[in-house]
Amino acid sequence: MLTRVFPPGVVDEVIAECGRREQRSRLLPARVVVYFVLAMCLFSGQGHEEVARLLTQGLERVRQWEKPWHVPTSRPTKVAASWS
């Protein structure tokens, strides 16, 4: 659902316009962090690790997530969750 409302190309453009494009490959790429923050708003009653799990399942389903990935431990998701 998030990728239909906020297509990856649009999210990437906004990230670039804000000067926040990542300089190297990260566990949580900038586009995924944007989707994660939006998902935290949609699933505000869930913990950040559960939201990350739901998000990655959804991204895998629509083929927006191509790399093998696991839900990060609390540190990266807590940092991203603090932005919501």
Side-chain angles (χ1 to χ4, degrees), residues 4-74:
R4 283 189 221 152
V5 177
F6 304 101
V10 172
V11 172
D12 291 343
E13 283 179 36
V14 171
I15 291 167
E17 286 178 19
C18 293
R20 293 298 181 192
R21 187 175 287 162
E22 60 259 358
Q23 301 298 312
R24 58 185 183 263
S25 181
R26 301 246 181 207
L27 183 59
L28 289 173
R31 181 193 302 162
V32 175
V33 171
V34 170
Y35 287 131
F36 177 68
V37 171
L38 292 169
M40 288 291 296
C41 295
L42 291 172
F43 300 104
S44 60
Q46 302 294 321
H48 61 275
E49 289 180 8
E50 176 64 8
V51 172
R53 187 185 68 72
L54 293 168
L55 177 64
T56 54
Q57 284 179 349
L59 291 175
E60 285 172 349
R61 208 171 304 128
V62 295
R63 298 178 185 247
Q64 293 295 322
W65 191 268
E66 298 169 359
K67 301 176 191 175
W69 191 77
H70 65 282
V71 175
T73 56
S74 10

